[in-house]
Structure formats: C-alpha cells, structure tokens
Amino acid sequence: MPATSKTELLAASEREFSKLQQLLDDLPAMLRLEKDADGISPKDIVGHRAHWIDLFLSWYRDGLAGRPVWFPAKGYKWNETPRYNADLRQRQSGLSWQSVRSLLDSNHAELLALIESLDEEELYGGPMKGSNNMWTTGRWAEAAGPSHYRSASKYLRLRRARFEDERNQRGKSSPGQSGVT
C-alpha cells in the first residue's frame, strides 16, 4: 500500500534502501557484473535505480519551474520504457560497480533531502506539477525510491539464489576425490 504521509514515505524510503544496501553489500563479487538471460546484470539494476531517482528529481524540478516534463524522458513515451532502459544500460555500460553504488547512495540522499524539505501539502496535496496525471509528488517519490528498491531487492535475491543453486549443482557434478585411482 502506498505511503500517504511524509512520515510513512521517509520510513519506507529508509527501510527499503537499508534492505537493498544489505543485499548489495552481501552480493558475491563474481555475480555483480554477470548478465542474465535478458542481458541485465546486478550492476545494471543498481544503475537503473539510481538513474530513475534522478529522473524523478528532474521531473519535479522541471514541473516546479514550469518547464515541460518529459515522461519518462525526452524522445520516449511510457510504452517505450523497455527501449529507454536498454539505452540507459548502454549509456551506463562503462560504469563500475562502485560507481553505480555511489550514484545510488548520492541520489538516495538527494531524494530524502527533497522529501524532508517538503510539507504534507506539497507531497500529498495534489498532482505533481507538470505530471499531467493525478499522482502526487509523494507518490512519484515513492515510485522512484522505495518501490524501485523493493523490485531491485526482489530481483537480486532471485539472482543470488540462482547463482548459489548453479554453484551447488556444479559442486555436485564435479568429480570428487574418492581416494580411488
């Protein structure tokens, strides 16, 4: 259920970010850059989450300033989000694991700073300026932060479980040392 107050939004942001950080800290190094069947790595997931926080922050600033707000970005429509995300992965392909982690940390801090700077009315009193829909600023912030953190955590838990299952299967199928020659 979406947050409906500043207190709930801040709590959800901190809680979900903390869970994600723990997963990222514990993720085996050899898995961090490994692509799945769709060509996506855990590093890509982290970079994506960091970037979408930045997108939200730019939507908010542009709407507040009366500038056009492009959803999700200029040159893309919502139904082209998969293409946008693929283009984003290409743009971020040269970033290191540590770079995307730092980007996520700094963008999360920026998201929290914005939420903390706004009052209840600014967060939940009406549609976000420039959004051309009924979502409040608080709802957009939740989509960019805690909701994205939850989906990243779910993906990373699944990837880690598959990785560990494959590693265990390789260990079982490797010839053991039985002492017989």
Side-chain angles (χ1 to χ4, degrees):
M1 176 166 260
T4 58
S5 71
K6 179 177 181 172
T7 302
E8 289 176 6
L9 179 58
L10 285 168
S13 297
E14 290 289 9
R15 181 180 61 249
E16 298 303 331
F17 187 72
S18 178
K19 289 177 186 178
L20 177 58
Q21 289 293 81
Q22 188 63 54
L23 280 167
L24 295 174
D25 290 345
D26 295 342
L27 198 66
M30 59 192 313
L31 178 58
R32 295 173 182 170
L33 305 179
E34 185 178 299
K35 304 275 187 190
D36 64 13
D38 295 322
I40 300 171
S41 70
K43 181 197 79 129
D44 296 332
I45 295 297
V46 175
H48 173 271
R49 282 7 185 224
H51 177 76
W52 277 81
I53 294 169
D54 192 49
L55 272 179
F56 159 69
L57 294 169
S58 69
W59 298 335
Y60 177 78
R61 287 188 295 266
D62 287 346
L64 203 59
R67 293 186 294 265
V69 179
W70 304 98
F71 289 101
K74 191 170 185 174
Y76 297 88
K77 297 176 185 170
W78 278 120
N79 64 355
E80 297 174 308
T81 302
R83 180 174 66 89
Y84 179 79
N85 289 336
D87 292 346
L88 172 63
R89 284 191 298 278
Q90 181 59 41
R91 288 192 309 272
Q92 291 183 339
S93 64
L95 296 178
S96 68
W97 174 255
Q98 192 53 48
S99 295
V100 296
R101 289 285 310 264
S102 295
L103 190 59
L104 182 63
D105 290 347
S106 63
N107 288 357
H108 173 72
E110 212 175 322
L111 176 66
L112 290 181
L114 173 67
I115 295 167
E116 289 170 350
S117 75
L118 300 175
D119 63 27
E120 294 290 335
E121 180 66 22
E122 292 167 312
L123 283 167
Y124 292 103
M128 185 173 80
K129 290 182 179 157
S131 67
N132 298 318
N133 65 35
M134 297 306 294
W135 275 28
T136 64
T137 300
R139 184 65 187 99
W140 280 108
E142 185 169 2
S147 293
H148 252 153
Y149 302 156
R150 272 191 297 276
S151 65
S153 293
K154 181 179 177 180
Y155 170 86
L156 292 169
R157 283 191 302 271
L158 181 62
R159 282 293 304 271
R160 183 177 180 136
R162 284 183 185 157
F163 173 79
E164 289 172 356
D165 286 348
E166 289 170 5
R167 188 171 58 183
N168 290 338
Q169 290 301 319
R170 283 191 301 267
K172 289 178 182 176
S173 64
S174 297
Q177 293 186 359
S178 63
V180 177
T181 56

